[in-house]
Amino acid sequence: GQRRLRKLLEWLIENNVYAVSVSIPYLLEFIKYNYPELKVYVSMLGGVDSLERAKYWDSLGVDRITLSAVSGITRNFTLLRKIQEGIRCQLELIANLSCLNECPFWTYHCAVDSHFSQTPNHRQKGAIDYCLAKCNYMKIKDPAEFIRSGWIRPEDLGYYEELGIKRIKITNQNKNTAEVMKTLKAYSLRRY
């Protein structure tokens, strides 16, 4: 697999890609050793939700860590401050993910999405996203589940900046351009 990985990374570099996101420590080490010109970020799928995990990735030379948005960390300002102060790399938070807090489907849902992405026309073949359906059902059944999820109000971005967190990420899966622009506008204006 290393030849295929090298071929992919070299193709990315030839096409002026300057950074890649990973969720596997081995990939970070492989990329940093063989392609030091690439910046490497830890994806939210890396599951970083503690100072210890952040320090581990930081020790490998990661450039940025996107913290977990399903573990309750997004609103734990004490922990966010400790992580920010305990590492050298940048931190990033996902602002608008509405997954269940401490989501029991998270790992499975990531695996399903990964397999779906490798299956041509999976949506047309009738594949059902059980995780998304179940998650939405739980939020409809108990709307407090939506409030408990790890999203960040646009009005609250300043609190995160005070902690030293300067980057937020906006998710856009399954959203059309108009919805993405509406979301970007809300976070840019810091109000909705």
Side-chain angles (χ1 to χ4, degrees):
Q2 286 190 16
R3 278 190 219 104
R4 286 183 21 215
L5 181 56
R6 285 179 188 280
K7 186 176 178 180
L8 172 63
L9 291 165
E10 288 163 9
W11 179 82
L12 291 171
I13 291 167
E14 288 168 14
N15 285 281
N16 299 314
V17 170
Y18 65 91
V20 294
S21 293
V22 301
S23 60
I24 301 169
Y26 169 74
L27 291 177
L28 170 62
E29 292 178 287
F30 182 88
I31 295 166
K32 282 293 188 179
Y33 182 80
N34 293 291
Y35 303 94
E37 66 272 30
L38 280 174
K39 293 202 176 288
V40 185
Y41 306 152
V42 175
S43 158
M44 186 178 118
L45 300 180
V48 179
D49 61 0
S50 68
L51 176 57
E52 292 76 16
R53 287 183 182 182
K55 281 183 171 183
Y56 175 74
W57 285 98
D58 193 46
S59 74
L60 296 178
V62 73
D63 297 289
R64 180 188 309 151
I65 298 172
T66 302
L67 295 173
S68 172
V70 297
S71 64
I73 193 173
T74 307
R75 296 185 183 143
N76 185 338
F77 290 96
T78 302
L79 180 55
L80 289 173
R81 183 181 310 281
K82 283 181 184 177
I83 293 172
Q84 180 62 56
E85 291 173 353
I87 61 172
R88 295 178 309 272
C89 66
Q90 291 182 338
L91 287 183
E92 179 175 68
L93 291 171
I94 296 181
N96 64 326
L97 192 68
S98 62
C99 292
L100 296 170
N101 186 43
E102 300 292 345
C103 180
F105 311 112
W106 179 250
T107 302
Y108 172 56
H109 199 185
C110 292
V112 167
D113 281 348
S114 177
H115 289 291
F116 276 174
S117 73
Q118 300 301 310
T119 307
N121 304 317
H122 71 276
R123 297 283 181 214
Q124 289 83 9
K125 292 181 180 175
I128 296 172
D129 188 338
Y130 166 83
C131 302
L132 183 61
K134 189 70 170 181
C135 177
N136 286 337
Y137 169 75
M138 291 173 73
K139 287 187 267 188
I140 290 167
K141 185 177 168 190
D142 182 5
E145 291 295 342
F146 178 74
I147 301 300
R148 286 185 196 107
S149 64
W151 54 275
I152 299 169
R153 293 182 338 138
E155 295 85 350
D156 294 339
L157 291 178
Y159 297 121
Y160 295 91
E161 289 172 338
E162 288 173 14
L163 296 173
I165 298 170
K166 306 277 191 264
R167 298 190 62 87
I168 63 161
K169 184 176 185 174
I170 305 296
T171 63
N172 62 0
Q173 293 97 337
N174 305 319
K175 291 183 174 72
N176 63 36
T177 302
E179 291 175 29
V180 171
M181 294 308 293
K182 183 178 177 182
T183 303
L184 289 173
K185 182 177 179 182
Y187 283 96
S188 295
L189 295 175
R190 297 173 181 242
R191 66 180 168 80
Y192 181 76

